[in-house]
Amino acid sequence: QIVATGICHTDEHVLEGNFPNIDFPVILGHEGAGIVESIGEGVTSVKPGDKVIPLCLPQCGECSFCLNPESNYCLKCHLSESQSLLPDKTSRFTCRGKQVHHFMWVSTFAEYTVIPECAVAKIDAAAPLDKVCLLGCGFSTGYGAAINTAQVKPGSTCAVFGVGGVGLSAVMGCKVAGASRIIAVDINSDKFAKAKELGATDCINPRDFKKPIQEVLTEMTGHGVDYSFEAIGHAETMAAALASCNMNTGVCVMIGVAPSGSLISIDPMLLLTGRTWKGSVLGGWKTRDCIPKLVSSYLEKKFNSDLLITHTLPIAKVNEGFELLRAGK
């Protein structure tokens, strides 16, 4: 039973046709929290009544990536093959007798869903499901990109491109890691008050400048930032984020999902001088191991992801939620 679900831009990418390996009709949603209603044969890690977070990135615990302590990408993941059906190649959803597809094996825009055991994590019974649902994707992705993927050092300077839910979570991660300067970059200045509340020290709108934003950031910081994060999903902002970090020791982390088929053109000198360019999937967390620990950290008030919640709507108004997302609200 799904109790609460966040709306993430990845769901919107599917609607725009920018996400690979999707079959329609499909029940979207991948950032949820709920309560186990019943379990199938052989399931041992959860039981009816347990509070859980469905995992859009599974952790099978058996593939070579799951067995590698440095990897969090499971080879059963949707980026490797379509997850429009469950692992047994069936769909458990029908509408008026016709098959409806699953999304990333979780499909949280439904009151009830069926999920493989490797794609669900049992969490603390005290967790408020309408708050910790964000840990299923958005918060964990941005926060982990700073903590795990970049491994931001105390006293460093950071730039975060795009301060929606994921970017704001990256800001929170940079702050927890001890960054001394965190620069939020967005073309929607309405987002800056929240960014400052969560730890941004500077906020800049690229539309306020006549020169490329990477030049602005380089001038602001001397030689570029120590860490940059792209949380939008545009090829041009990914290239700008790379160019805005220090030419030798700078680390740029790509979090945003670019439209399927996108290509990036960059000057090889940007990397030849020593910069590091990394991707991050779900913040680098091994999901079944780490999401329950993040929920415990939330309960211990180590971070306040509640500040990311702007609206609460009933599931019947999910389309209004998408309209608010598109409007930048």
Side-chain angles (χ1 to χ4, degrees):
Q1 181 194 6
I2 299 292
V3 173
T5 180
I7 292 178
C8 174
H9 214 108
T10 303
D11 302 305
E12 173 73 352
H13 286 317
V14 177
L15 298 178
E16 293 165 345
N18 289 336
F19 204 81
N21 301 331
I22 299 294
D23 294 316
F24 293 89
V26 60
I27 295 176
L28 295 179
H30 64 283
E31 188 179 276
I35 298 167
V36 176
E37 184 84 6
S38 61
I39 57 174
E41 194 180 331
V43 173
T44 57
S45 63
V46 293
K47 63 184 187 302
D50 284 348
K51 285 187 178 181
V52 292
I53 288 182
L55 305 170
C56 53
L57 177 65
Q59 184 187 348
C60 74
E62 297 165 357
C63 70
S64 59
F65 281 30
C66 281
L67 294 171
N68 179 348
E70 293 181 3
S71 163
N72 80 313
Y73 182 91
C74 176
L75 290 173
K76 292 190 174 172
C77 171
H78 63 279
L79 293 177
S80 305
E81 58 181 279
S82 168
Q83 288 186 354
S84 296
L85 297 173
L86 291 181
D88 63 1
K89 303 302 177 204
T90 66
S91 168
R92 305 304 173 84
F93 294 128
T94 57
C95 180
R96 300 190 183 105
K98 293 200 169 128
Q99 176 175 284
V100 177
H101 294 93
H102 294 249
F103 181 54
M104 294 190 184
W105 290 349
V106 291
S107 293
T108 60
F109 292 168
E111 291 177 295
Y112 290 88
T113 186
V114 181
I115 301 173
E117 187 177 13
C118 67
V120 70
K122 179 182 174 179
I123 59 169
D124 194 307
L129 298 177
D130 60 330
K131 304 290 194 290
V132 299
C133 61
L134 301 182
L135 276 58
C137 179
F139 174 77
S140 302
T141 296
Y143 187 76
I147 300 285
N148 299 326
T149 311
Q151 296 182 356
V152 169
K153 293 186 178 73
S156 59
T157 58
C158 303
V160 178
F161 286 68
V163 281
V166 174
L168 289 171
S169 302
V171 168
M172 294 164 83
C174 292
K175 184 181 180 185
V176 166
S180 61
R181 194 171 186 193
I182 304 167
I183 305 166
V185 183
D186 204 299
I187 57 173
N188 180 355
S189 298
D190 292 344
K191 295 189 180 283
F192 291 160
K194 181 79 73 173
K196 286 198 163 161
E197 184 182 2
L198 291 173
T201 55
D202 307 75
C203 296
I204 56 175
N205 187 328
R207 290 179 173 166
D208 294 341
F209 301 91
K210 295 227 167 33
K211 59 181 78 165
I213 195 64
Q214 56 265 39
E215 292 180 21
V216 176
L217 286 163
T218 301
E219 286 175 11
M220 285 175 71
T221 55
H223 298 287
V225 295
D226 298 309
Y227 304 94
S228 61
F229 301 87
E230 202 276 358
I232 304 164
H234 292 318
E236 57 272 23
T237 43
M238 289 175 181
L242 178 66
S244 69
C245 69
N246 171 320
M247 66 190 293
N248 180 229
T249 57
V251 175
C252 175
V253 179
M254 188 191 302
I255 318 171
V257 179
S260 188
S262 296
L263 294 172
I264 301 176
S265 177
I266 63 155
D267 178 350
M269 281 299 292
L270 285 172
L271 292 170
L272 193 67
T273 53
R275 284 182 180 88
T276 302
W277 202 4
K278 306 177 85 166
S280 181
V281 60
L282 228 147
W285 306 104
K286 277 192 184 289
T287 50
R288 292 182 81 196
D289 294 343
C290 298
I291 299 297
K293 292 174 186 169
L294 270 178
V295 170
S296 298
S297 294
Y298 166 85
L299 292 171
E300 290 160 12
K301 297 191 164 44
K302 290 188 177 166
F303 52 79
N304 186 5
S305 49
D306 294 0
L307 294 169
L308 299 173
I309 299 171
T310 56
H311 299 75
T312 303
L313 301 165
I315 188 68
K317 292 190 176 177
V318 64
N319 286 332
E320 289 180 28
F322 277 94
E323 286 164 18
L324 289 163
L325 176 79
R326 291 177 198 122
K329 295 179 181 174

